[in-house]
Amino acid sequence: MTDKLILSAQEFQNRNRLKETKPRVYEKFQNSAAKILSGQPVPIIQFQYNYQCNFKCEHCSIAPFQSTPKQKLESGRPGWDMAKVRELSRQADELGLARFVITGGEPLTYPDFDQLVEAIDPNKHYINCDTNGWFLDEKKAYHLKAMGVDRVQMSLDSLNAEEHDAFRNKKGSHARCLRAIDACQKVGLEIYVQTVVTKTRCRSQEFKDFVKFLNAKGVGVFISYAKQVGEWQGEGDILVNKDDMRYIDKMEKENRLFTHISPSYGFNMRCIAVKGMISVTDYGDVLPCPYIHTSIGNVFKEPLKDIIQRGLDIKYFGEWKETCLIAEDRHFIEKYVAGKIDGKKLPVPCEEVFSAEDKTQYPYHKNPRLVAKEDLFVGPDSEEDKD
């Protein structure tokens, strides 16, 4: 299997551009297919470096993690310094991991953002930055590109300014977000828009128009399915179901639209928790994904390699799962999230959430559906995905 065979035209173009600008990153991307097929995970590191934020969004999933500097000091939990960031980067590079997503909080509020990017090392990693766009004008966009940030992920949740501003609890945020999109495009900084999709919004005309508008501007849309965590804890009515996800799968074929369970680089990995993404918190804890608030280890205490393997030893993360566990799988949400995580101090250690019966038996890389097919969605009748 060659890269030309497993990559789409756009993916091949994006990767080939790295060959000149970031040869070490290019090399790791080139090796990723073989690693995945041999059972070696290549997760994106979603780096929740600091929870500082200038917004108070309606759906905030990290609100339970936020604390003042005084509270953080009193908790006795160490935070990050640049030496620790460099060590995380070193371990990730040693494992062949190629991508960091700087998130929070709002990264562009960090006074040490430039030092953070330098410590991660743009020569070794493809760097994505989440932002609400408030502080992102043309000058800042140029600066981000010049310092080695590869892509910006912008949060926008409606074409209607009042609706977006209300959702984000920040008057004027819609206008600043649109300004930020234009600024990135003007300086040639790659960008896509992340938007939250609930059960109600999923099939709405508003959402169709939203995607059409952004695609016409040359901007792809990333869907973040609503989850009943953080400020939305217990809000089960917001969740999509399998039919909704089939609907989105069909939309993806006709639009520049994708989710975390979309096939990419020739692989139909679906749920990417641990095998395709991990979240590293402000306190060093490693989560299977940003929304499953259980710790599979702490990078301040043990090697990243051992933590990732611990996550893969849990069947929900080490096996191929066709759905988004935290957005759609009611069994997983009720048994593990509502039953063993909600209401406790976060993140909850994984040994308090999962037991011996949750051990991986069918490693994800041995599932033939890992390789992307034309029919991307596997229905609920799959025997090996039943508990």
Side-chain angles (χ1 to χ4, degrees):
M1 181 181 293
T2 69
D3 285 302
K4 288 186 178 180
L5 291 176
I6 68 171
L7 303 185
S8 69
Q10 184 63 51
E11 288 168 334
F12 188 75
Q13 180 182 346
N14 290 344
R15 181 175 291 188
N16 225 27
R17 188 163 50 240
L18 291 172
K19 191 173 184 179
E20 300 297 326
T21 60
K22 295 188 175 186
R24 172 59 180 156
V25 178
Y26 174 80
E27 176 190 2
K28 288 190 284 187
F29 275 136
Q30 290 294 89
N31 294 333
S32 61
K35 290 174 71 68
I36 291 171
L37 290 172
S38 67
Q40 300 178 66
V42 287
I44 299 167
I45 296 179
Q46 198 245 19
F47 192 16
Q48 300 173 1
Y49 171 73
N50 190 321
Y51 295 122
Q52 175 179 305
C53 191
N54 60 321
F55 281 17
K56 290 188 179 296
C57 301
E58 177 184 310
H59 69 308
C60 183
S61 63
I62 55 90
F65 290 85
Q66 290 176 317
S67 59
T68 66
K70 181 180 179 181
Q71 290 171 328
K72 190 173 178 180
L73 182 64
E74 291 174 346
S75 72
R77 302 183 71 186
W80 290 94
D81 57 38
M82 294 309 154
K84 292 176 182 176
V85 175
R86 291 188 187 94
E87 175 58 19
L88 177 63
S89 172
R90 184 197 67 78
Q91 290 188 45
D93 182 58
E94 193 173 78
L95 292 173
L97 309 187
R99 291 178 286 181
F100 271 74
V101 177
I102 302 174
T103 188
E106 166 53 44
L108 298 188
T109 65
Y110 304 162
D112 55 353
F113 181 85
D114 289 14
Q115 292 91 337
L116 173 62
V117 172
E118 181 183 10
I120 293 172
D121 194 346
N123 292 318
K124 293 180 180 177
H125 300 285
Y126 186 94
I127 299 178
N128 189 79
C129 178
D130 286 350
T131 182
N132 55 42
W134 187 265
F135 296 106
L136 185 51
D137 56 14
E138 187 177 328
K139 181 179 179 180
K140 175 64 78 172
Y142 180 82
H143 178 69
L144 294 180
K145 183 180 179 182
M147 69 187 300
V149 172
D150 296 282
R151 184 170 61 190
V152 165
Q153 179 171 301
M154 193 85 62
S155 296
L156 181 66
D157 292 293
S158 177
L159 297 182
N160 182 291
E162 291 185 1
E163 290 179 0
H164 173 86
D165 289 1
F167 185 75
R168 295 286 168 175
N169 278 305
K170 191 78 168 181
K171 187 174 177 59
S173 61
H174 184 269
R176 292 232 188 177
C177 188
L178 293 181
R179 178 198 67 175
I181 292 171
D182 291 341
C184 289
Q185 291 190 305
K186 188 170 183 179
V187 305
L189 177 59
E190 189 176 346
I191 182 175
Y192 62 88
V193 162
Q194 174 173 297
T195 194
V196 178
V197 172
T198 62
K199 172 74 174 176
T200 303
R201 193 183 186 210
C202 179
R203 300 170 187 256
S204 69
Q205 185 61 45
E206 178 275 329
F207 180 60
K208 294 177 185 177
D209 293 341
F210 180 91
V211 174
K212 183 177 180 180
F213 170 80
L214 288 164
N215 283 183
K217 287 176 68 66
V219 178
V221 176
F222 172 77
I223 290 177
S224 179
Y225 286 122
K227 291 97 175 169
Q228 57 178 66
V229 298
E231 297 294 339
W232 275 353
Q233 183 176 314
E235 300 289 334
D237 291 344
I238 63 173
L239 302 180
V240 296
N241 60 28
K242 281 185 169 61
D243 284 339
D244 296 325
M245 295 175 76
R246 288 190 183 93
Y247 175 81
I248 294 298
D249 280 344
K250 291 177 181 178
M251 281 191 69
E252 288 185 41
K253 296 178 181 180
E254 302 170 356
N255 303 275
R256 288 188 62 191
L257 181 69
F258 53 101
T259 73
H260 272 314
I261 60 175
S262 300
S264 63
Y265 295 106
F267 291 102
N268 185 20
M269 194 172 284
R270 300 305 279 185
C271 175
I272 63 172
V274 181
K275 47 194 171 285
M277 171 177 275
I278 55 173
S279 289
V280 181
T281 75
D282 187 0
Y283 311 105
D285 293 296
V286 178
L287 314 180
C289 92
Y291 310 103
I292 302 176
H293 295 156
T294 181
S295 175
I296 57 174
N298 190 292
V299 293
F300 298 155
K301 300 177 181 178
E302 59 183 321
L304 180 62
K305 180 179 180 180
D306 294 346
I307 295 171
I308 291 174
Q309 185 56 57
R310 183 179 297 117
L312 292 176
D313 288 341
I314 299 169
K315 68 179 180 181
Y316 291 101
F317 316 127
E319 297 180 10
W320 191 93
K321 297 296 179 182
E322 54 88 13
T323 193
C324 177
L325 296 169
I326 192 64
E328 186 279 325
D329 190 324
R330 297 328 194 254
H331 167 76
F332 181 86
I333 293 168
E334 291 173 10
K335 181 175 180 179
Y336 298 100
V337 181
K340 298 185 179 182
I341 297 177
D342 288 353
K344 296 183 179 180
K345 183 179 179 180
L346 302 179
V348 180
C350 64
E351 57 268 22
E352 296 180 19
V353 179
F354 302 103
S355 63
E357 68 180 18
D358 298 314
K359 187 175 178 60
T360 294
Q361 297 183 47
Y362 308 102
Y364 72 94
H365 67 286
K366 294 185 178 180
N367 191 308
R369 286 170 293 176
L370 174 67
V371 180
K373 307 293 183 184
E374 185 64 26
D375 181 13
L376 304 179
F377 193 93
V378 179
D381 297 327
S382 169
E383 288 298 324
E384 67 183 83
D385 289 326
K386 291 181 180 178
D387 293 308

